[in-house]
């Protein structure tokens, strides 16, 4: 299309020159062909090209080349003074005959018709060029307005979402917080009035869990009210160091296993928070669906990374210096991730199921949380009749702060 818009006017001007002046080279045909050839650079030098085409209409009596050049001037250089001078020059070149001695001042009728033709020839290309330019500017304005309107619609949608989040936050705070507060108060009353030590300990655990639930609820309400903005977190988020306390408060038969690498700091906060939530959700599922089952919680380095590090160390030791083998092991150590596994056995037949409500979305949310960080989560039944939840996280998560 670009080359077509450049070549087609030149071909039209050449055809005009050949039809008017024939195919025999002479002054008329030469200046007409020169005017047609000048149209090749009309977009870069519109005013200069227009001046070059004026001898074509004055001597060779061709119209296409000077009219196309004047149209280009109006399209690319819409200066009123320049357009006025160009219109006068084209009208004069069209009105004055060649040679000039053939001009007859007394031929009023012919001169008047020629002057009208000259004015139309000069005004027409300018009007068309300005019309096309105005149309392009209007199209650009419409595109800008459409983009602005789309942006405004997005802002309105975000505002509606923010309003809905604030309303949801108020409802959560009014309903859930009230119920949890009543549970906490009742547990406090039982803790004070109960004579049995185990009953007092259970009431104390319920009260502590209620307080922690209220803290997390306030944090969630704060996030909803922030409408997704980057705000400072209202309460400290759970980390791997909080797992022993979570297991202690779970009131389940849980054995916790964690290696030294896991106890050392250095894991990203988003990974530790996701690992804590996975253990928390898995223990909740055990309490719902497998009461009385034995549970094992393991948190350590990913087995794939350990195998890669061990293999790299064994392969490098016989053929390389000890320093090279040590460097390979250190590099493998840097790429290790984190593995979290919660495995439970079959439920105890004598235990009574608590009948807690469940929406069936816990594992789905945990899998999305793991994938968001670049990790994986697997969950399924075991051969012993239990259930296992296993998540692997990379050392460097894909994103941080959103899990």
């Amino acid at each position: 299309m670009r080359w077509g818009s450049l070549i087609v006017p030149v071909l039209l001007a050449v055809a005009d020159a050949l039809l008017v002046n024939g195919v025999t080279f002479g002054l008329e045909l030469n200046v007409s062909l020169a005017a047609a050839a000048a149209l090749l650079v009309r977009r870069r030098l519109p005013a200069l090209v227009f001046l070059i085409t004026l001898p074509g209409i004055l001597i060779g009596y061709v119209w296409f080349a000077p009219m196309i050049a004047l149209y280009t001037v109006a399209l690319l250089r819409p200066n009123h003074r320049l357009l006025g001078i160009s219109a006068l020059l084209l009208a004069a070149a069209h009105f004055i005959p060649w040679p000039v001695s053939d001009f007859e001042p007394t031929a009023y009728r012919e001169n008047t018709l020629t002057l009208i033709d000259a004015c139309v020839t000069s005004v027409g290309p300018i009007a068309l060029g300005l019309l096309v330019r105005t149309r392009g500017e209007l199209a650009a304005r419409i595109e800008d307005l459409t983009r602005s309107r789309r942006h405004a619609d997005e802002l309105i949608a975000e505002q509606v979402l923010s309003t809905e989040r604030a309303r949801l936050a108020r409802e959560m705070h009014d309903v859930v917080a009230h119920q949890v507060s009543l549970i906490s108060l009742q547990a406090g009353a039982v803790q004070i009035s109960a004579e049995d030590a185990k009953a007092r300990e259970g009431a104390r655990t319920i009260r502590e869990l209620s307080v922690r639930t209220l803290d997390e609820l306030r944090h969630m309400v704060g996030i909803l009210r922030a409408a997704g903005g980057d705000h400072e977190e209202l309460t400290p988020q759970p980390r791997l160091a909080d797992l022993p306390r979570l297991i202690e408060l779970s009131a389940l038969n849980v054995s916790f296993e964690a290696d030294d690498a896991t106890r050392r700091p250095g894991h990203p906060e988003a990974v530790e928070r996701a690992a804590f939530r996975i253990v928390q959700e898995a223990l909740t599922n055990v309490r719902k669906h497998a009461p009385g089952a034995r549970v094992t919680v393991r948190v350590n380095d990913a087995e794939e990374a350990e195998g890669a590090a061990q293999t790299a160390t064994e392969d490098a030791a016989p053929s390389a210096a000890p320093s090279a083998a040590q460097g390979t092991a250190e590099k493998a150590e840097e790429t290790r991730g984190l593995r979290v596994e919660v495995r439970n056995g079959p439920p105890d037949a004598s235990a009574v199921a608590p009948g807690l409500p469940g929406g069936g979305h816990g594992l789905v949310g945990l899998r999305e949380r793991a994938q968001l960080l670049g990790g994986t989560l697997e969950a399924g039944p075991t051969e012993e009749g239990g259930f296992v939840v296993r998540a692997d996280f990379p050392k460097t998560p894909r994103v941080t702060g959103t899990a």
Side-chain angles (χ1 to χ4, degrees), residues 9-10 13-14 16-17 28 30-42 45-73 86 89-91 93-94 121 125:
V10 177
V14 171
D16 184 25
E28 292 82 0
N30 292 338
V31 296
S32 299
L33 293 178
L39 295 179
L40 291 173
V41 293
R42 69 184 186 278
L45 304 170
L48 179 60
V49 170
F50 172 72
L51 294 178
I52 295 175
T53 60
L54 287 179
I57 192 173
L58 176 64
I59 300 175
Y61 297 101
V62 291
W63 286 14
F64 280 2
M67 292 178 67
I68 292 174
L70 185 57
Y71 163 81
T72 306
V73 173
S86 300
L89 290 177
L90 182 58
H94 187 191
T121 303

Side-chain angles (χ1 to χ4, degrees), residues 277-310:
R277 295 304 183 190
I278 288 174
V279 175
Q280 185 181 44
E281 179 66 21
L283 294 180
T284 301
N285 290 337
V286 171
R287 191 180 297 109
K288 290 180 182 178
H289 308 294
R294 296 180 59 86
V295 185
T296 302
V297 178
R298 295 189 182 94
V299 182
N300 49 28
D301 289 331
E303 294 179 1
E304 291 82 0
E306 288 184 352
Q310 183 177 0

